């Protein structure tokens, strides 16, 4: 009986270690896909916990900010309606260690923009920054103004 309990403990410990190692070796896109999968199947709070867990320094030093983001996004979700999916708008890299991903996140009423910045000091990608906003319409209007559309070649 004791051997059986010991084997279970060893198996559980190995599973935890393996899953934590695989979590840290993931590419930023994988972290983002996990985030959106949890968002769709569970809720925004669990999705944000998963995202921020990639960076222990953010979890330690920014707990109040993270709680504020959770509260605000929960409020947005209640106002904007049901989550309807996401689309990549753009991705940019600075060297091989800093990557930004910008997504349009669709809801019944209107979209939000989510920006994710990931940093890799060695071999582990960690969330460096997460922002969201609802300024997509204003930017679209601004970009359609005539002075942006003029041919600037001489």
């Amino acid at each position: 009986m004791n051997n059986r309990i010991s084997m279970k403990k060893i198996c559980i410990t190995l599973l935890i270690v393996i899953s934590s190692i695989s979590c840290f070796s993931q590419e930023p896109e994988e972290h983002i896909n996990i985030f959106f999968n949890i968002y769709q199947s569970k809720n925004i709070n669990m999705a944000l916990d998963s995202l921020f867990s990639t960076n222990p320094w953010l979890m330690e030093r920014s707990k109040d900010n993270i709680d504020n983001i959770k509260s605000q996004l929960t409020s947005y979700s209640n106002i904007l309606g049901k989550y309807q999916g996401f689309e990549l708008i753009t991705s940019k890299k600075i060297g091989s260690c800093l990557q930004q991903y910008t997504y349009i996140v669709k809801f019944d009423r209107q979209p939000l923009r989510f920006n994710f910045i990931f940093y890799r000091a060695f071999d582990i990608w960690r969330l460096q920054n997460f922002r969201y906003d609802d300024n997509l319409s204003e930017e679209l209007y601004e970009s359609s103004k005539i002075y942006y559309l003029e041919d600037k070649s001489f």
Side-chain angles (χ1 to χ4, degrees):
M1 184 84 167
N2 273 343
N3 281 344
R4 198 172 200 180
I5 293 172
S6 295
M7 285 301 286
K8 284 183 181 181
K9 286 180 181 179
I10 291 171
C11 288
I12 290 171
T13 304
L14 282 174
L15 283 173
I16 291 169
V17 169
I18 290 169
S19 65
S20 66
I21 290 170
S22 68
C23 173
F24 289 119
S25 65
Q26 293 172 331
E27 293 294 315
E29 297 93 342
E30 293 173 280
H31 288 298
I32 293 168
N33 285 332
I34 289 169
F35 167 81
F36 281 119
N37 286 335
I38 294 171
Y39 192 176
Q40 181 175 12
S41 64
K42 307 285 185 196
N43 63 47
I44 187 62
N45 291 343
M46 292 178 77
L48 288 168
D49 286 340
S50 170
L51 183 65
F52 283 108
S53 72
T54 65
N55 189 331
W57 296 285
L58 285 177
M59 293 294 285
E60 288 174 17
R61 296 191 177 109
S62 301
K63 175 123 178 58
D64 291 339
N65 290 341
I66 294 169
D67 289 342
N68 191 30
I69 290 170
K70 287 178 181 179
S71 174
Q72 290 173 352
L73 283 175
T74 299
S75 294
Y76 263 122
S77 296
N78 292 337
I79 294 168
L80 299 179
K82 186 178 176 192
Y83 168 75
Q84 297 295 335
F86 64 96
E87 293 179 33
L88 179 66
I89 298 173
T90 185
S91 64
K92 296 180 182 178
K93 295 179 182 184
I94 298 177
S96 62
C97 64
L98 196 64
Q99 296 184 11
Q100 175 186 1
Y101 298 85
T102 304
Y103 286 83
I104 186 169
V105 182
K106 301 180 283 186
F107 295 89
D108 290 333
R109 184 169 169 224
Q110 77 178 58
L112 293 177
R113 174 179 27 208
F114 284 10
N115 285 299
F116 305 86
I117 296 179
F118 287 88
Y119 173 64
R120 179 177 63 188
F122 299 102
D123 60 346
I124 298 170
W125 285 102
R126 300 181 192 276
L127 180 72
Q128 186 70 31
N129 197 325
F130 171 77
R131 292 184 181 178
Y132 65 93
D133 64 72
D134 63 352
N135 297 329
L136 291 164
S137 297
E138 288 95 32
E139 284 187 27
L140 197 56
Y141 288 131
E142 186 67 24
S143 71
S144 68
K145 290 186 177 179
I146 195 72
Y147 58 88
Y148 283 118
L149 300 176
E150 292 177 357
D151 183 13
K152 304 220 182 213
S153 61
F154 294 94

